Amino acid sequence: MPSDVIFAPADPGFLRDRYPTYRRLRDEAPVLWTSLNGRRCCVVTRYADVDAVLRDERARVQPEPGAVPAHIGAGPAAEFYRTLPCLDPPAHTRLRRLIMPAFTPRRVQGMCGWIAEIVDDCLDAVAGAGEIDFVREIASVIPARIACRLIHAPESDAETLLSHQPALNHVLSQGDLTPHALATADDAARFSFDYFGGILDSLRGRLPNDDVVGALLAGAEDGDRLSRTELVTTLIGLLVASYHTTRVSLTSAVHSLLRNPEQSAALRAEPGLAANAWTETLRFDAPVHFVWRDLAAPVQVAGERLDAGTHVVLGLAAANRDERRFPAADRLDISRADHRHMAFAAGAHYCPGAPLSRWEGQIFLTRFFARFPDAEVTADEPVRSHDLTFASTEALPLRLGRGA
Ligand code: HEM
């Protein structure tokens, strides 16, 4: 069967609701050969297969060991490219060892006080508005403010910093990078290196060790330290990695809960379920739909031998709806006990921001549903982005009701 009979990423029906297609892929073509961005690849969608590939050392993120892809050039964008998601061992292992201590449970829990203040402040700002676009007025504001606070950038700079993100994301995406897009990415990287370099200079020697940037500056106990370029790239990476995913997750969580009124009622009745509700909404509608790997050696997937050099596109959102793993996978159930979903991926690149995201989500859902118990979605079909990887909702009109 031709691959586009099942999987047509540009089809309006797919873009409106991707999950029926993911079901067909899992059931009828768990390894689907197709072409994305002009590149031959295979799409893998069952939970067990996605999980196995992500944990397999033969599945790499660098097609050429140690090399930056030639189309990214040798300018500032290429420096930016040498960041965690684009590196394999041993460079990746070393960077993770230096970065992970910044995200210990104790350090992350220490941020809860100021995260709650930011959330309250943002909810205060919309109280009285009656009707709002949740994406623009809440979901975009909270992660921008949290990210700035995390990396010690003034919140007033958030808009400028985020305006450079699309150009930098382009370098990390699989899309074709035109000479114009590369020049824009080089400019964005140049700006970011100057900006974040300035922040680091102003912070050196002033931060306690329980601060995320303080921990990054401190380095490892054996004396190994991030270089200045690595530090700057890491700060940019934290902004890039946290902003978009959190914006999309907050939107999906509220949308999914309001579209399942018995679940939002259960959360309002028992606010202690907020952490679970956040996790379940991430499973139900993961913000990152696909990640990719290149095979450095042959690997067996769903009974098929994939040769070395195969480009594998892994469906995280599809895996999260796999009935083979999650009973009644298409049902949102905030009391679900199985939390091993794929929204944060798995294996060597498992999201280091996951513990922080859990606190953000828990704090946000508790406060939002307590404050606006009658909130309702006022659009039948919220606007969805066409990006294959980031299937975000671009606008979510809400009537806030009582409490507004
Ligand atoms: C709900 C929110 C979030 C989601 C759904 C999410 C999802 C992901 C996913 C799927 C990956 C793996 C990519 C791959 O395997 O190729 C990842 C990696 C990463 N995330 Fe997150 N993320 C979230 C929030 C954050 C936050 C808050 C931070 C930091 C403050 C962060 C920092 C990172 C970094 C640095 C990586 C790269 C790790 C590596 O390659 O070793 N993320 N994230």
Side-chain angles (χ1 to χ4, degrees):
M1 189 187 309
S3 66
D4 60 0
V5 171
I6 300 184
F7 187 45
D11 183 78
F14 172 78
L15 294 169
R16 217 171 17 252
D17 180 4
R18 303 175 185 219
Y19 290 102
T21 300
Y22 294 159
R23 172 183 288 278
R24 278 196 73 188
L25 286 170
R26 288 189 307 267
D27 289 348
E28 298 171 36
V31 174
L32 180 93
W33 287 95
T34 187
S35 175
L36 290 175
N37 296 318
R39 185 165 184 197
R40 186 156 165 75
C41 61
C42 70
V43 180
V44 174
T45 41
R46 286 186 185 166
Y47 181 97
D49 300 330
V50 170
D51 188 48
V53 174
L54 286 172
R55 293 174 192 280
D56 196 316
E57 287 181 357
R58 295 165 293 183
R60 302 295 178 93
V61 293
Q62 289 178 291
E64 294 287 324
V68 173
H71 69 281
I72 295 174
E79 281 301 333
F80 167 69
Y81 189 85
R82 285 178 226 277
T83 180
L84 276 183
C86 308
L87 293 176
D88 287 318
H92 181 260
T93 320
R94 174 180 165 265
L95 266 193
R96 281 250 345 174
R97 198 172 70 87
L98 288 167
I99 290 170
M100 288 312 284
F103 291 95
T104 57
R106 191 175 52 82
R107 212 167 255 129
V108 170
Q109 203 171 351
M111 301 179 204
C112 288
W114 60 257
I115 290 175
E117 279 169 22
I118 289 177
V119 170
D120 284 341
D121 199 36
C122 290
L123 297 183
D124 284 347
V126 295
E131 200 153 328
I132 60 163
D133 172 10
F134 180 83
V135 178
R136 190 164 46 84
E137 293 173 63
I138 297 183
S140 302
V141 183
I142 290 177
R145 290 184 62 180
I146 292 178
C148 283
R149 174 78 189 249
L150 190 74
I151 59 180
H152 299 274
E155 285 181 15
S156 52
D157 287 352
E159 208 172 311
T160 310
L161 292 175
L162 293 171
S163 71
H164 291 289
Q165 290 228 332
L168 291 173
N169 276 343
H170 223 109
V171 173
L172 303 181
S173 90
Q174 296 189 79
D176 294 333
L177 196 64
T178 61
H180 174 70
L182 178 57
T184 315
D186 274 330
D187 284 347
R190 201 172 290 114
F191 165 84
S192 303
F193 277 109
D194 286 349
Y195 182 89
F196 287 98
I199 287 194
L200 281 175
D201 290 341
S202 71
L203 293 174
R204 225 173 259 280
R206 291 206 300 116
L207 289 177
N209 203 351
D210 62 356
D211 178 272
V212 166
V213 181
L216 293 174
L217 285 165
E221 280 175 5
D222 63 4
D224 192 8
R225 283 201 153 70
L226 293 166
S227 70
R228 184 182 171 81
T229 304
E230 286 168 341
L231 274 167
V232 171
T233 309
T234 301
L235 292 190
I236 305 171
L238 292 184
L239 183 74
V240 172
S242 67
Y243 171 73
H244 184 86
T245 48
T246 309
R247 178 173 74 92
V248 179
S249 305
L250 290 173
T251 308
S252 303
V254 165
H255 190 203
S256 304
L257 285 163
L258 292 178
R259 276 290 151 85
N260 290 273
E262 76 295 343
Q263 296 298 310
S264 41
L267 176 58
R268 279 192 295 269
E270 202 181 329
L273 283 173
N276 227 50
W278 176 250
T279 300
E280 170 66 351
T281 56
L282 283 169
R283 180 199 70 81
F284 186 71
D285 200 10
V288 182
H289 276 225
F290 292 97
V291 295
W292 50 269
R293 299 290 186 264
D294 288 287
L295 300 185
V299 171
Q300 197 81 7
V301 178
E304 193 170 323
R305 181 192 140 106
L306 305 183
D307 291 331
T310 302
H311 187 59
V312 191
V313 176
L314 300 158
L316 303 181
N320 279 354
R321 295 284 193 105
D322 190 347
E323 299 268 353
R324 294 159 194 82
R325 168 71 201 217
F326 300 103
D330 284 334
R331 194 154 59 80
L332 181 77
D333 174 4
I334 65 169
S335 63
R336 200 182 283 275
D338 185 348
H339 296 155
R340 299 244 343 249
H341 61 66
M342 283 287 153
F344 295 116
H349 293 270
Y350 180 79
C351 175
L356 173 59
S357 152
R358 288 200 194 95
W359 279 115
E360 289 173 0
Q362 179 180 348
I363 291 169
F364 174 77
L365 289 181
T366 309
R367 287 167 143 76
F368 179 82
F369 281 96
R371 182 117 185 216
F372 304 114
D374 302 326
E376 56 181 354
V377 180
T378 56
D380 290 337
E381 268 313 324
V383 182
R384 290 288 210 159
S385 84
H386 290 188
D387 191 299
L388 182 62
T389 299
F390 300 112
S392 56
T393 297
E394 295 300 291
L396 183 66
L398 285 194
R399 189 173 301 120
L400 291 174
R402 187 164 41 114

